[in-house]
Amino acid sequence: MLWPRLRRGLTPYLFLAPFFLTFIAFWLGPIIASLIYSFTDWRGFASPRFIGFANYSKLFADPRFWVALKNTLFYGVVYVTILNVSALALALCLDSLWLRFKNAVKVGFFLPVTISLVVAAVIFEMIFAKGVGLLNIVQKGLGLGEIDWLGDPRFSIWAIIILRVWRALGYYAVIYFAGLQGIPTDVKEAARLDGCSPWQVTRHVTLPLLKPVILFGVIMSTIWALELFDEPWVLTKGGPADSTLTIVIYLYQAGFQYVELGYAAAVSYVLTLMIVAIAIVQKLLSGREVA
Amino acid sequence: MTMIDRRAVLAGMAAAAAMPAIGNAQARSKITYWAWTEHVAAANAVKGEFEKQNPGITVEVVNLNPFDLQDKFLVALAAGAGGPDVALILQRRFDGYLPTGGLLDTTAAMAPLKDSFPASVYASLGTGGKTFAVPYDQNPAVYFYRADIFEANGIKAPLETWEDVVAAGRILAAKGIFIGHVSSPSGVPGVANLVQYLQSRNAQIFGADGKVIRDNTLARETLQFYFDLARKEKVVFESRNNAPEFFQAIKESKIAGYAVPAWAIFRLQKEAPEHAGKWRVMPWPKWGKDQPATTGAWGGNVLAIPKVSRNKEAALKWAMFIGANELTQVKIWQEGHLVPAFAPALRSPELLKGEDYLSGQSIYEAGLKDRTLNGFNYFDWAKAEVIIGNALDLMFGGKTSPAEAWAEIEKQLAGQLGR
């Protein structure tokens, strides 16, 4: 009598077990392990030795960490702003009735999302090339002079921003477009009947109703921005003169080039705390009605 | 016979037919070899012969980006899993792998061949009288130049000294042509480029004891010279290594000289096939008429075997086959223009054969045969490259002078590496 009841009770847990086992083995386990390692001098070869907060002290005393932090935050603010404003503008255009070839435009903007990073990097290396690159040819044509996009520390981070916005724009535009499609048309109709101009409808009806989607877009793009690695690694390896050094490149160098795994774990925890803090602040700033 | 019976019989027959194949597969050892570009071509050219000589072993050659390879292999050693059976390791990074304790001891295999390799190469294979790798190649530099441009401007090659190079460079610079290349911003290849200049002058950064040499006048002067080529004399083209603008300048005949290892001929052939017959090669210039005839290198490579390899014996056989075998080492020259580390191979007439792209000139005979390669002390090079690269970038960015840049390099290397 007991066994059939027990079996019935266990069945759902057995079905859920694969998820929880993999979650514990590949998510929770490493998260806890890396927290422990962040307090050790582990280099992967000998047994780790507990060193307290020494890795964290070393981290905050390293000028390269602060350079990486500054670069990451500057990139994050500029990238998230440009990306979300552009994606929202694009989505509003796509949502408007007057835009012809809507699907073709959507496909065109979404295409960069599907292109592999290596291909994108090769293309942009040619676009950014000093003197002979497409961007410099256009600049010279417009009388704006020549810029060494990947070689000049003043511009290298902007080159990364341009590439990243190009790659992500279509993805976020599709998210915002889906959000716009979910706004009831009768609300906008009512506003128009009340005499609102198209801008007033957008400003006072569409955008407030889109706020949860905008918050999602901003938080997600912020998280991806703080985890910036691929593009600067492929194009500039963090240079010139550390001008595109990000926290994740700094972490990669510590962990996988210098094999200072305990130190790299400390860097990863600082990054995680930063992401959580920024996400909380963004949520608080966005207002209570979004929650 | 029922349908089920027939199926069972057919399945049994298929299984029986497959048995010998399975048996063979189990008898063979498969080893993986991680390498990159020209080394992959060289390995593929000789692996058939290796498999013929060793019927029980097959070799899978895996092509990886050289810098990714170094990182992946280091992590594999730390993890004790996930690595290849044999990996090609940049000699300048090799000392970072020794503390892992994860490399196979090759002392017994290498000891009888000790005198067959340059002393500096052999010394870099390990510590305490033990070796943990097999040498592979040396990468000494030559000086490629455009014979047609030189001739049209009355420049007689080979140029004997760097003073001659600068003088010839001034003639060409007046016509908008560069006689060389400097990597700026530097990155890792830019540091390797500078090391060629330092090494050819025997200007070490670290002493043999691993300590940073302080107040290093020779190194500082060499950096000043490197900087002056670009900024004072303006005779070399400045760009990132292998950047599109560099190859565009090559194609447009704006660059008439290129000081790099012999394998760079492949880049010239690929990027500027229309220049076949126009390029030639000369030895690395001397630092003065009475100075020794030396050259520098981007750093050679060695072959390392992880202890956790499941086929250590087969892996060692492969490493010895490509690193310590005269015929194979000659082949890696033929296929990849990789200068053998194994001395007997350097005496092969095959190295004296001419190149069509260079109008029949032999790179080895014209550019390398009469040059000696100084040893160079590499320590903690993954970190050192970042420190030196950043200092070079600040120098070329106008933030520091060469003297200040070198002082900063010494200070940072000593401070951050504790050396």
Side-chain angles (χ1 to χ4, degrees):
Chain A
M1 286 299 282
L2 183 65
W3 172 241
R5 264 197 302 168
L6 197 62
R7 202 175 57 176
R8 265 202 308 279
L10 276 176
T11 304
Y13 295 103
L14 286 173
F15 277 108
L16 289 172
F19 166 77
F20 282 106
L21 288 175
T22 49
F23 177 78
I24 290 166
F26 298 110
W27 286 84
L28 197 59
I31 286 169
I32 294 167
S34 59
L35 179 63
I36 295 166
Y37 284 133
S38 76
F39 296 106
T40 71
D41 64 351
W42 191 44
R43 297 206 63 193
F45 316 122
S47 300
R49 193 169 54 94
F50 183 75
I51 54 169
F53 284 91
N55 283 329
Y56 292 92
S57 313
K58 181 182 163 188
L59 173 68
F60 292 119
D62 184 357
R64 285 192 83 226
F65 168 74
W66 292 106
V67 170
L69 182 66
K70 190 192 84 181
N71 290 344
T72 307
L73 291 178
F74 173 79
Y75 162 81
V77 170
V78 176
Y79 165 79
V80 169
T81 307
I82 294 176
L83 175 67
N84 285 286
V85 170
S86 313
L88 189 55
L90 182 61
L92 287 166
C93 287
L94 289 171
D95 191 47
S96 65
L97 295 171
W98 49 265
L99 186 69
R100 289 182 181 184
F101 315 116
K102 203 180 281 188
N103 287 335
V105 172
K106 269 193 275 185
V107 169
F109 277 98
F110 197 78
L111 214 54
V113 179
T114 64
I115 292 175
S116 90
L117 171 66
V118 177
V119 173
V122 169
I123 293 168
F124 271 79
E125 192 172 26
M126 288 191 276
I127 289 173
F128 289 131
K130 186 168 72 175
V132 298
L134 180 67
L135 210 50
N136 268 308
I137 291 169
V138 172
Q139 281 164 220
K140 277 188 274 185
L142 296 171
L144 298 173
E146 198 174 283
I147 291 175
D148 184 2
W149 286 96
L150 297 175
D152 188 329
R154 291 172 301 167
F155 298 104
S156 49
I157 195 79
W158 288 98
I160 304 297
I161 291 169
I162 291 169
L163 169 54
R164 284 277 292 213
V165 169
W166 175 79
R167 285 196 79 208
L169 183 63
Y171 178 79
Y172 284 91
V174 165
I175 289 174
Y176 288 137
F177 181 71
L180 288 169
Q181 298 284 294
I183 295 173
T185 49
D186 51 351
V187 182
K188 290 192 265 187
E189 283 293 320
R192 278 191 207 104
L193 288 172
D194 285 344
C196 287
S197 67
W199 166 243
Q200 284 171 320
V201 173
T202 305
R203 169 77 181 78
H204 297 290
V205 178
T206 310
L207 291 181
L209 289 172
L210 199 64
K211 208 170 176 182
V213 182
I214 295 172
L215 180 65
F216 171 79
V218 169
I219 289 178
M220 290 309 290
S221 56
T222 303
I223 291 170
W224 284 108
L226 294 176
E227 292 177 350
L228 177 68
F229 174 79
D230 296 359
E231 287 84 353
W233 188 249
V234 172
L235 280 179
T236 58
K237 289 277 189 288
D242 279 346
S243 60
T244 56
L245 179 74
T246 64
I247 292 187
V248 183
I249 290 180
Y250 183 77
L251 188 159
Y252 178 84
Q253 286 181 330
F256 301 111
Q257 291 191 322
Y258 311 156
V259 202
E260 293 172 352
L261 297 171
Y263 184 65
V267 178
S268 73
Y269 263 88
V270 170
L271 177 63
T272 306
L273 291 175
M274 267 175 56
I275 290 172
V276 171
I278 289 173
I280 289 171
V281 169
Q282 283 175 339
K283 196 161 166 50
L284 290 175
L285 288 177
S286 68
R288 296 177 74 187
E289 69 273 24
V290 172
Chain B
M1 198 181 279
T2 64
M3 184 62 86
I4 291 170
D5 287 338
R6 277 201 299 274
R7 277 184 190 156
V9 170
L10 286 170
M13 286 166 67
M19 285 299 279
I22 292 166
N24 276 347
Q26 282 172 341
R28 293 182 75 82
S29 297
K30 183 180 162 191
I31 57 168
T32 51
Y33 172 49
W34 286 3
W36 60 91
T37 8
E38 62 272 12
H39 306 283
V40 168
N44 282 327
V46 299
K47 80 169 194 172
E49 180 58 31
F50 176 77
E51 287 168 353
K52 205 162 84 183
Q53 289 180 20
N54 299 275
I57 308 171
T58 52
V59 181
E60 184 193 3
V61 182
V62 180
N63 192 357
L64 286 168
N65 172 298
F67 301 106
D68 288 347
L69 190 161
Q70 311 304 307
D71 299 343
K72 280 177 194 285
F73 187 63
L74 192 54
V75 173
L77 290 182
D85 296 293
V86 182
L88 191 65
I89 299 298
L90 297 168
Q91 198 180 322
R92 58 182 187 264
R93 288 273 190 97
F94 184 66
D95 85 296
Y97 297 79
L98 291 172
T100 66
L103 295 178
L104 187 72
D105 187 337
T106 59
T107 312
M110 289 303 303
L113 298 167
K114 186 176 179 181
D115 296 333
S116 302
F117 297 97
S120 61
V121 171
Y122 198 86
S124 71
L125 300 179
T127 51
K130 286 194 165 188
T131 62
F132 295 90
V134 174
Y136 177 71
D137 72 334
Q138 300 184 71
N139 271 338
V142 294
Y143 206 114
F144 291 96
Y145 68 96
R146 281 285 296 272
D148 57 329
I149 296 175
F150 271 36
E151 198 180 322
N153 290 281
I155 300 166
K156 196 171 175 301
L159 299 167
E160 190 185 354
T161 64
W162 278 107
E163 198 179 3
D164 298 335
V165 172
V166 172
R170 286 181 192 140
I171 295 169
L172 296 179
K175 297 182 176 179
I177 301 170
F178 298 98
I179 200 163
H181 173 251
V182 158
S183 297
S184 167
S186 74
V188 170
V191 178
N193 192 8
L194 172 68
V195 166
Q196 292 183 132
Y197 290 75
L198 294 167
Q199 186 173 8
S200 68
R201 215 174 177 184
N202 203 16
Q204 301 284 346
I205 297 175
F206 299 99
D209 59 355
K211 295 279 180 200
V212 176
I213 300 169
R214 305 306 297 260
D215 299 322
N216 192 338
T217 310
L218 194 57
R220 188 173 61 239
E221 284 175 4
T222 309
L223 180 63
Q224 181 76 54
F225 176 79
Y226 186 75
F227 179 78
D228 287 348
L229 283 175
R231 293 298 170 87
K232 185 180 163 199
E233 301 291 349
K234 297 182 172 35
V235 294
V236 295
F237 187 80
E238 272 185 61
S239 78
R240 288 174 301 122
N241 190 60
N242 289 344
E245 57 266 31
F246 171 69
F247 290 115
Q248 185 68 24
I250 291 259
K251 285 180 90 67
E252 291 173 354
S253 298
K254 286 182 181 168
I255 296 178
Y258 191 21
V260 272
W263 44 248
I265 189 174
F266 291 122
R267 298 310 301 254
L268 294 173
Q269 284 172 322
K270 185 181 162 209
E271 302 291 340
E274 68 277 17
H275 290 171
K278 293 178 178 174
W279 284 92
R280 297 283 191 286
V281 72
M282 60 183 172
W284 182 268
K286 293 197 285 186
W287 289 96
K289 284 191 187 300
D290 55 348
Q291 293 295 306
T294 57
T295 186
W298 280 53
N301 302 287
V302 298
L303 299 153
I305 301 161
K307 269 184 191 169
V308 292
S309 163
R310 279 182 293 180
N311 302 296
K312 285 190 271 291
E313 202 180 318
L316 184 59
K317 273 186 182 172
W318 169 249
M320 298 298 284
F321 180 77
I322 54 174
N325 175 309
E326 187 177 339
L327 293 176
T328 322
Q329 284 270 289
V330 170
K331 196 75 177 170
I332 68 167
W333 167 262
Q334 291 171 318
E335 294 296 326
H337 284 94
L338 306 161
V339 176
F342 192 56
L346 293 171
R347 294 191 284 271
S348 167
E350 288 297 325
L351 271 68
L352 305 178
K353 278 196 173 167
E355 308 288 336
D356 291 343
Y357 191 76
L358 306 175
S359 287
Q361 196 188 25
S362 154
I363 299 180
Y364 188 78
E365 185 169 36
L368 291 169
K369 200 170 61 137
D370 298 327
R371 284 290 181 272
T372 54
L373 181 63
N374 296 316
F376 198 76
N377 301 320
Y378 293 104
F379 292 98
D380 293 335
W381 203 248
K383 275 187 179 174
E385 275 176 328
V386 172
I387 292 168
I388 300 169
N390 280 343
L392 294 184
D393 288 348
L394 291 172
M395 178 184 77
F396 281 115
K399 306 279 185 201
T400 57
S401 68
E404 289 166 340
W406 194 264
E408 189 62 20
I409 287 171
E410 284 181 17
K411 187 180 145 199
Q412 293 289 333
L413 288 176
Q416 289 192 35
L417 308 182
R419 290 183 175 278

